[in-house]
Amino acid sequence: MATFHRKTGTFISLSNNNTSASRNNPTTEFNNGVIMSNEPLCDDVLFEVRINKKVNSWSGSIEIGVTTCDPSTFTFPSSATGFREGTWVMLGSSILKDGQSIVEEYGQDLDQLNEMDTVGILRTSSGSLHFYINGIDQGSAASNLPNKIYAVIDLYGKCSEVSLVRDNSQHGGSSPCGAGQLSNEMANMEIAEQESSVVMMMTSPLPSLPSNEHLVFHERIGSLIKLSNNRRTAERRRPLDEFNNGVIMTNRPISDDQLFEIRLDRLVDKWSGSIEVGLTTHNPGNLDFPATMTNIRSGTIMMSGCGILTNGKGTRREYGEYNLDELMEGDRIGMIRKSNGCLHYYINGVDQGVASTETPKTAWAVVDLYGMAVKVTILDCLRPQTQPESVRGQRANNIIRQFRDTIFADELEDEQQRDRLTFHSNCANHCALTNGHMTAFRPNPLEDFNFGIAMTNRCLRANETFRVRLDSTVDKWSGSLEIGVTEHPPQDFEFPCTMTNMRSGTWMLSGSGIMHNGNPLNEDFASESQQFQQPDKLSKLKVGDVIGVTRREDGTLHFSLNDRELAIEAGNVPENVYGVIDIYGQASQASIVNDVDVCRNSHHVSSEDELRFHRRHGRNACISNGGRTAIRPNARGEFNDAILMSNRPLKDNELFEVMIENMVDRWSGSIEAGLTTIKPEDIEFPSTMTDIDFQTWMLSGSAIMQDGFTIKNTYTCDLDKLSLNSRIGMVRSVEGNLHFYINGEDMGVACYNIPQNVYAVIDLYGQCAQVSITSGGHVHMAVADHLHHGSAAHEARPRPTTNESLTQTPDSTNHRFSQRCGVNIALKNNASSAERTKSFNHGLVFSADPLKSGEMFEVRVERLASQWSGSLAIGLTSMISDNTAVDHLPSSASANDFNDFTSRPSSKTIWMVCDCQVKKNAGIICENYAPSLQRLQVGNLVGVKRGVDNTMHIYLNGRDLGVAACDIPKNVFAVIDVYGMVEAITVTSSPLKDMVSQLLEYSTPSHVIRSTSTESLQGDDHDNDNDKREGDKDTSVKSFIFHESHGKNIKLFNAGLTAQRMASYNEAIVFSNRHLQSNSVFQVKIDRLNENWSSSLMIGVVECCLVDVDQLPISAIDVTKKVCCILQADSVYYSGVKVKDYFGANMDTLAVGDVVGVSLDEDRQLHVYINGCDKGVAAKDVPPHCFAIIDLYGQCDQVTILTDEALSMPKTDSSFNSCEVSSKVECSDYREKVDSEDGMKEKMYESPLNDISRESSKCDYQSACERFKSLLGLPEAYFDSTHNRCYCEACYKLRGDELYYKRGDPLKDYAIPIGWCRFALRSSL
């Protein structure tokens, strides 16, 4: 029998009678691992080794070949490529002779082999050298080899251990090796083969595949492909934007007579062309994937449309009876390579005939998700029975007796596995399975609401309960999880869109009743279930609820909710029924709950409530101990890609704590911890969690990072210094603050304004290799008490009294100043007030947290000191406020040391508005930006805002002074210089509500706004809402104001109650600040109409508030990505589609003073009110938690929300009279009327310039220009002062001027003279 020679490389150790070899210290040494055969190779006898172990520390892998060198007398080099004197070695996919390459591309790449793969060499009797990989001949590599050669193996790089494969077989004629020994070996091989065949026959009812590896898709895929369902399902990303780059291949070559079949799961009706299927000789591990597989010009056969393409060229124009471009969702496509080399395609099981007669022996199946084809799934298909009957002879029976115990033990284990109730692999098109077929889910729950049916793998036994737990939901659809039984077996079942559509052998619990074959069986289910105080509709199921169905021995069907029986719902149910669930509507994922889980839950806290690690995690992480322990197994070979998340969001004041149980000293850095609002199901795990740039807060070392940017560098603990058995925990307090705990000690506030429903995140990075959860699934009362009552070391808020509730809301939600500030600044009132205690400078203050997009930081001037000159300066900075020592801060924004400070290489950018100038790092970038800040008075409000378009805006008393600077980066802090006469300021602004901003439609389309997030905007007492009687209508909703996010042509004033369109005729959408309650009426009064336009106001409801201003459509009827019901003129639009004409009200006929409103009743029907009169139902089945939406379109350019106070106020506010006057500008007689469905075009003359209410005095720039004009000595009689106009940066923006207008005859573009001041001349003296 073949063995390794006892003489080996320096780091090799032999074992197992010299048949196994391993490299010592494989993670620190990569070479000196050469071994050779003990005897020369025999002709036509395969010398084969198996790779037992690999490490990931190095590049390169096993090398194998032959040499004429005798191992007894030869001095081994460090690697096999160092052999000379007649040596042939396979390195990667190249063949080397005496260290020189003779074949560049040969066979499969050795570097891509995995553990348990085999590689061998063989010298034929004709002197040719052949390499074998996993038993497959790679072809002739060299010829004319000497007769006496030894095998040489190099355990190089990743390969650290190999073993000889004992059952080496003869691949040719006679051999000079010992005939007796060979005869015995062949006899033993024959017996072993018979034994293997019989064991296979007894333990499996079907013949096995030729390969031990199950057919799945290869891990290397096209650039737009996403794999799921254990690599059995492939889907092309962005199918409406991209049509190619969707190539996928199998993980191994297909075998002769093996059927490879896929199901077409999803199509899109946008592109031409569709799926393409075929074979290729190109190894997916080496292939540079093309955009489409038909671009490959060698070794490829593809079926495209109704033709066959070979190497990219058409060889058969018409093939078979089907066209792949015409297949529908659910159709099946298969192919078989026959043993005679013929390739056959199968469409829905029908053989299409011979497609090619010369198919390569070694070929991978390939699928191209091209054009309309988006998603496919590999189906379980075995080749036909080819086992000869003679194997079951008498000799086989004798061998069975020898293996009786083994066979029966395997049978028992298989029987127990088959007895387990799981989901069957065949499920509906929009359903996928995971977690060992114990969990079913809809992969795209926000796009698809049906075709989510899954069935059990076997029939339910008598009195066996089929329990299913609802794991996750979405708020987009109506309806929810449905459960029942059916007589239809899942193997060949043609799944309908919903199970209630089945017309035979089916009983389903749906909504409030039982459906038998699609017809209601028991409509009294709701009343019967109420006696158990359970929800009366399945649509009200919440995450964690468990529903079950049981067929009793007497043929009755029982349903349960959370293990409490509801009622006897059906009788005469036959035996042999399968459990079935329909993951419909709001339900997006459900899991089977077995009896063990139920028993565990009855003795402990609910498994859903107990904190554990989520089953989804980074690729280098493993979870054990029931989800309580996380490990990075290859801790010395990999340092990242080991992110863990909690299985559910943390509750307020709930401690999530882990203990470090294992560390390695190989890497820098260590554990990282934090919070994120992203659900584990929605995240694509990066290598480290600090790479996430959305709604994530992490502690890395001693740095606090938000959305990938460092916001603090000097936190009170350093995670990189933690040792073994240290504990780290995190808590989101009821006030929304993030606290970290080290060994039970509070480290203080790390971040403020953390939203609710955040998941804990642990990153097993660097030195940290293993952690275990120590905290339970309940609110940590000691932590809650500590966070509310404070501690001596870390008190950051006023200490409440001991009898205060643990769940009370904080007394203030305003912004705060950072503790890092100028040396003359004293912070008061919980860091919400800043006072300069002496001198006139050293008064810089910063916001405690970076500003989000669209967030404003505003302060009120509290005290002035007239003895000083100069005044407050305000702006933004990318400098981390706590990263600069106090004594290193500049004395003021205008001092020389400020110039020196910003010129340092390590400094960040600072944008400041000082007086009326805008500065960037001490350099002036804009003169006369705004009225001078030196005119500030006590009580004035000054704010700075980072716009969603990356611009900086300054606000004075709530008025936007326009864009001060552009290209502002993310994570900038507000900076204020309390300088000169301004001595004290107080913060008046509040942070943006993260629960809304995280759910933006366009920045995170997978999220949907929930009622809990939107209600956080309203500030109402919910008890008041609950006390309202059903049917009462709240016609004076005092808490309604317009949302701060609106169209770009909108200006809000009057405390957010009034909205005015400042320019053009569109881009003027506004929303209510909170969603509509049932039977409450949202009403607005039309304040002003502009007769220069056609069409008018639109009103309705939208599923969620579209907060991203840049992505708002130009009109409300263009809202199509969310459910939006809009009344425009007398037509009703549903998500952009007209669904009703001649509604009872016409919006285009409304006059000034008319009141229009919308309301939702208990049945989610939309009512429209005009002047208090209900005009009827405009739409039905409106989603819950809708916001009111108003479009100030065309003629309507100002509305006010109707409240009780508004009814008693004058119709016209004197502060806005100038707007009324300025709107009455003479215009041309011609007007362009356009149909409302096509939109409206602006008229080809200058639109009226609406003057904004301004100070009675002229701006500083206009005053300076008038002084200059007076110096010219021109007579005043030449000028008409009534037409003077200033076009400085501040004035033209305040008026809302367009940059270009049409002027002249013929009309041509005219640019307004920005930076000039116009002095009009009289037309005649």
Side-chain angles (χ1 to χ4, degrees), residues 811-1044:
D811 56 352
S812 174
T813 57
N814 286 353
H815 284 113
R816 297 179 178 88
F817 292 118
S818 172
Q819 297 296 325
R820 296 300 178 98
C821 51
V823 295
N824 291 339
I825 286 292
L827 299 180
K828 300 180 179 180
N829 299 327
N830 195 20
S832 62
S833 297
E835 178 182 352
R836 197 178 70 245
T837 57
K838 61 180 180 179
S839 187
F840 62 90
N841 56 4
H842 286 290
L844 285 177
V845 289
F846 302 86
S847 61
D849 296 300
L851 300 186
K852 302 178 179 63
S853 295
E855 184 174 12
M856 181 171 69
F857 188 90
E858 187 180 52
V859 297
R860 180 177 60 245
V861 178
E862 299 288 1
R863 191 172 72 242
L864 298 177
S866 58
Q867 69 268 29
W868 305 113
S869 62
S871 184
L872 175 145
I874 189 169
L876 298 174
T877 178
S878 58
M879 177 182 66
I880 303 172
S881 59
D882 68 343
N883 197 29
T884 304
V886 172
D887 53 357
H888 290 167
L889 289 174
S891 60
S892 72
S894 58
N896 291 331
D897 56 347
F898 182 86
N899 301 347
D900 298 336
F901 178 79
T902 55
S903 62
R904 299 172 188 171
S906 60
S907 179
K908 300 295 183 72
T909 308
I910 300 177
W911 297 264
M912 293 288 287
V913 174
C914 308
D915 193 4
C916 59
Q917 299 174 334
V918 182
K919 296 183 178 180
K920 179 180 179 182
N921 287 353
I924 298 175
I925 61 175
C926 181
E927 295 273 8
N928 300 303
Y929 162 71
S932 175
L933 296 183
Q934 297 192 24
R935 301 179 182 178
L936 293 177
Q937 300 296 321
V938 173
N940 285 163
L941 301 176
V942 185
V944 60
K945 180 178 181 180
R946 182 194 180 275
V948 294
D949 55 351
N950 302 328
T951 58
M952 182 177 80
H953 292 247
I954 302 298
Y955 285 75
L956 182 58
N957 293 324
R959 188 180 67 194
D960 187 359
L961 301 182
V963 176
C966 301
D967 299 324
I968 306 297
K970 292 182 178 180
N971 292 293
V972 289
F973 295 79
V975 55
I976 299 174
D977 188 2
V978 186
Y979 181 80
M981 64 178 183
V982 176
E983 283 192 335
I985 58 175
T986 298
V987 177
T988 62
S989 58
S990 299
L992 280 179
K993 300 298 182 182
D994 292 331
M995 286 304 295
V996 171
S997 62
Q998 78 173 37
L999 299 171
L1000 308 186
E1001 176 189 12
Y1002 296 94
S1003 61
T1004 55
S1006 64
H1007 294 74
V1008 180
I1009 286 192
R1010 300 180 182 268
S1011 61
T1012 55
S1013 62
T1014 55
E1015 288 173 2
S1016 64
L1017 293 174
Q1018 59 186 332
D1020 292 347
D1021 186 353
H1022 295 282
D1023 293 336
N1024 295 336
D1025 292 336
N1026 294 333
D1027 291 339
K1028 290 182 181 179
R1029 296 181 181 176
E1030 193 172 2
D1032 293 344
K1033 287 184 167 49
D1034 183 9
T1035 57
S1036 58
V1037 185
K1038 298 179 182 179
S1039 61
F1040 274 125
I1041 59 174
F1042 287 118
H1043 197 278
E1044 59 186 4

Side-chain angles (χ1 to χ4, degrees), residues 448-467:
D448 309 314
F449 63 90
N450 54 7
F451 283 105
I453 302 169
M455 299 172 62
T456 56
N457 60 325
R458 60 170 174 81
C459 295
L460 301 182
R461 299 187 178 92
N463 299 322
E464 181 181 17
T465 301
F466 172 51
R467 296 183 182 89

